[in-house]
Amino acid sequence: MPDETPRHDPAAADAPSESPAPDEAGPAGPTSSPETGTVDEAAVATVEGDAGVDDASGAPDDVADATAAGAPAVDPREEMRENGGVTKPKRQRPPRPHRGEQLELKVETLAHGGNGIARTEGGWVVFVRGGIPGDVVRGTITKRKKDYGEAVIDELLVPSEERIPAVADHPGAPWQVLPYERQLEIKAGQVEDALRRLGGHTDVEIEPIVPSVEQWRYRNKLEYSFGEDGEGNLKLGFHAAGSWQDIVHIDDCLLASEIGNEARNLVHAWCVEQGLSAYDRKLHQGLLRNLVVREGTRTGELQVRIVTSVGEFDVAGLATHLNEAMSVAPTGVLWTQMTQVGETTYGGDTDVVTGGAYIHEEIRGLRLRISPEGFFQTNTVMAERLYELAAEYAGLEGWERVFDLYCGSGSLGLTLASHAGEIIGVEIVEESIQDAATNAALNDIRNAKFLASDARTGLPDAIELAGRPDVLIVDPPRAGLGPRVCRRIVEAAPKRIVYVSCNPTTLAPDAQRIVEGGYVLRKVRPVDMFPQTPHVECVAVLDRVA
């Protein structure tokens, strides 16, 4: 994700950020979102080493494969010259089934991103949505590429010995069929695999994974989507796995708290009673789009924000209903009107209907304000553990100048302020920067400053403002830092870098770029922020070589 966009919640069971145009058959490309379960490009590289491209691309096979895998494309004529004018034999690809074809498949392992990996008799890789190692399934091919395909399970022929009954019908909890200890084992293994295979970090110390305190009802924010069934009945839940249009209705979201789920059900019942229509993601018609329920786990505050198309809507009636019917009245009821075609809860025009625009959370002794679109970790209890680990890795003695890139609402940097000489936070989302400054004032923290800027250009600005950092902390979105930000970090020359990552497949190459700039990757520790999903956070520490 580019720096200039709001960071993606890595475990949100919400919609893809953009809906396809009406004439498209489905999502435009692979994603790594837990709700869709579709394959992320790194997952393909895990198995084959090159991702391939759609048959319709028209690109030469070898060049297309190299480009899709992130390698430089090779001109075949140059390759002939290097081989004395002799054309190398073309790599033989395994035979590919057709889209819609049913196959019997045995799942061998799990890919980064969570899908099961199987192979046809000819060796063609198939990512099986919902499959776990040991499953034998009958599945239908839904996507057909040169080197891999995707399949959905039609019938579970022989369940894996590891498979346990699902607790909830929930597209956002695909790993609930694995025992929790096994989830932890797989996540820790995937972190190690990514670091060694994608980053070449063969001698880094990988500490034991930190398990989540709660395995269910741990999220402080849920984004639900409205939809309709074939008879026009209103649904409120999550996108079906692999679908940008179909919504799975949820009566009890076991990732949400009881009070958050109560708010969701009351909103749904009121909208049904009013006869309101859901937004059609193909025709771009209809009113109701999303519902965002956000809580302060430690404060008990609750915010309900309904997202609609532009139109007439008795939002005051909804707010009155919630205030009268809920066991605990919401801290605020908000209404966001969207003009965008794509599905997103960011942007639009937001009005406060009742209550306030913000909620508060408490973490590591601080009270923090969170805006409707401000970033805050969605598992409060484990965010505290994550921040404690980051503080431990930072090893502050009280005099250091600390830069906090991608600082969000300032929560991580501010928890370090009492142990540092100065905190400088950089974040592109201005609403979050306003929250960060407010949070510093709320907690009487006077050694913190914040810049609203892109991380790449903001780092030089921060150096000009305060001088070079002694310690630099980064907490980027899933796309990671990328080469340019890594280069800026190396140029800033901090003695120590603490990298908080929500994606080990981007942490690994980012860390390698920094290592090439004169650092050593000391240790990494996975943290399970999102049980029942394939997502895992990590904290890594890199020290500058003297």
Side-chain angles (χ1 to χ4, degrees):
M1 181 180 299
D3 295 337
E4 58 269 21
T5 60
R7 72 183 72 196
H8 175 63
D9 175 355
D14 54 1
S17 60
E18 294 295 333
S19 300
D23 59 344
E24 290 180 337
T31 76
S32 55
S33 65
E35 66 279 3
T36 63
T38 52
V39 178
D40 129 274
E41 291 179 351
V44 182
T46 299
V47 183
E48 285 296 291
D50 62 338
V53 293
D54 285 316
D55 297 347
S57 66
D61 291 354
D62 294 334
V63 176
D65 289 348
T67 304
V74 178
D75 187 327
R77 294 167 296 182
E78 191 66 35
E79 194 172 33
M80 284 183 64
R81 284 193 289 271
E82 292 176 359
N83 289 280
V86 178
T87 305
K88 292 172 66 177
K90 203 171 187 181
R91 177 168 65 89
Q92 294 297 313
R93 300 182 185 278
R96 294 176 295 155
H98 296 287
R99 178 184 286 186
E101 187 173 342
Q102 273 197 338
L103 300 174
E104 184 173 312
L105 300 163
K106 182 171 183 178
V107 179
E108 301 167 0
T109 186
L110 287 167
H112 290 276
N115 288 323
I117 300 174
R119 294 176 186 267
T120 64
E121 290 183 1
W124 192 61
V125 175
V126 183
F127 293 92
V128 182
R129 187 178 300 123
I132 64 173
D135 281 344
V136 179
V137 307
R138 180 176 291 111
T140 297
I141 300 299
T142 58
K143 182 173 290 187
R144 181 178 185 257
K145 302 261 185 178
K146 284 188 170 68
D147 291 306
Y148 75 94
E150 295 180 29
V152 295
I153 297 175
D154 299 315
E155 183 180 358
L156 184 61
L157 301 175
V158 181
S160 167
E161 292 182 357
E162 297 182 315
R163 183 177 281 272
I164 61 176
V167 175
D169 181 14
H170 200 308
W175 276 19
Q176 61 177 303
V177 294
L178 283 166
Y180 186 58
E181 290 302 318
R182 182 64 174 133
Q183 293 180 36
L184 294 175
E185 181 183 340
I186 293 171
K187 290 181 182 186
Q190 290 191 339
V191 169
E192 181 175 359
D193 171 72
L195 289 168
R196 303 198 191 291
R197 182 179 49 79
L198 300 178
H201 307 290
T202 57
D203 57 355
V204 61
E205 178 186 359
I206 302 176
E207 296 187 322
I209 187 170
V210 180
S212 178
V213 173
E214 301 292 341
Q215 297 178 22
W216 293 99
R217 299 204 185 279
Y218 56 82
R219 290 184 61 90
N220 58 38
K221 178 187 177 186
L222 271 298
E223 296 188 358
Y224 302 98
S225 296
F226 286 97
E228 294 179 3
D229 63 19
E231 298 178 355
N233 297 311
L234 187 68
K235 298 188 289 185
L236 181 56
F238 304 103
H239 283 257
S243 174
W244 54 273
Q245 188 171 7
D246 295 333
I247 303 301
V248 176
H249 181 74
I250 300 283
D251 287 315
D252 184 8
C253 176
L254 292 183
L255 297 182
S257 71
E258 286 86 351
I259 190 69
N261 196 70
E262 179 188 359
R264 191 208 67 81
N265 283 336
L266 285 171
V267 170
H268 174 254
W270 186 87
C271 291
V272 169
E273 184 179 321
Q274 298 295 312
L276 302 177
S277 65
Y279 180 70
D280 189 306
R281 293 161 181 83
K282 187 174 183 179
L283 300 176
H284 310 303
Q285 298 174 354
L287 180 68
L288 301 174
R289 296 195 178 203
N290 299 94
L291 177 70
V292 184
V293 180
R294 195 165 201 174
E295 301 175 62
T297 301
R298 300 271 173 74
T299 63
E301 295 183 9
L302 179 76
Q303 182 184 87
V304 178
R305 179 163 66 97
I306 191 161
V307 182
T308 73
S309 302
V310 176
E312 295 296 324
F313 178 47
D314 182 19
V315 69
L318 173 60
T320 299
H321 177 67
L322 291 175
N323 281 298
E324 292 177 349
M326 286 196 67
S327 54
V328 178
T331 308
V333 177
L334 284 66
W335 178 28
T336 299
Q337 296 185 75
M338 290 286 187
T339 57
Q340 298 97 312
V341 170
E343 183 166 357
T344 178
T345 62
Y346 286 95
D349 295 322
T350 298
D351 295 318
V352 178
V353 184
T354 60
Y358 311 100
I359 62 168
H360 296 85
E361 184 59 286
E362 294 176 357
I363 189 167
R364 298 199 76 200
L366 300 182
R367 183 175 176 86
L368 304 174
R369 187 185 84 172
I370 306 171
S371 295
E373 295 183 5
F375 174 78
F376 185 78
Q377 295 283 356
T378 53
N379 184 335
T380 299
V381 174
M382 290 310 295
E384 192 161 61
R385 183 66 188 95
L386 188 78
Y387 292 177
E388 289 170 355
L389 184 58
E392 176 189 327
Y393 278 15
L396 300 176
E397 298 179 3
W399 53 267
E400 295 91 347
R401 180 181 297 121
V402 178
F403 281 12
D404 182 10
L405 299 191
Y406 308 92
C407 69
S409 58
S411 54
L412 175 52
L414 291 175
T415 63
L416 301 176
S418 62
H419 304 283
E422 186 177 18
I423 302 289
I424 306 295
V426 179
E427 168 66 54
I428 187 62
V429 181
E430 291 195 15
E431 190 174 36
S432 290
I433 283 292
Q434 293 169 6
D435 281 346
T438 298
N439 289 332
L442 277 174
N443 295 278
D444 196 26
I445 295 173
R446 303 179 184 183
N447 61 338
K449 300 175 183 176
F450 299 95
L451 298 176
S453 180
D454 171 272
R456 179 173 58 88
T457 58
L459 184 50
D461 291 341
I463 292 172
E464 184 176 345
L465 171 70
R468 292 191 179 276
D470 301 297
V471 175
L472 188 143
I473 296 172
V474 293
D475 185 6
R478 287 189 60 78
L481 301 173
R484 292 185 293 178
V485 175
C486 286
R487 186 165 57 248
R488 292 288 194 189
I489 290 173
V490 169
E491 291 170 354
K495 295 181 179 67
R496 175 164 291 178
I497 299 165
V498 178
Y499 190 138
V500 179
S501 168
C502 61
N503 185 358
T505 65
T506 53
L507 165 64
D510 281 346
Q512 183 56 29
R513 294 178 185 112
I514 295 171
V515 166
E516 291 170 354
Y519 288 78
V520 59
L521 179 61
R522 296 289 186 198
K523 55 185 176 180
V524 177
R525 189 162 196 184
V527 179
D528 187 25
M529 302 278 287
F530 309 109
Q532 323 308 337
T533 84
H535 296 279
V536 60
E537 299 263 338
C538 299
V539 182
V541 60
L542 300 101
D543 288 333
R544 194 176 71 202
V545 178

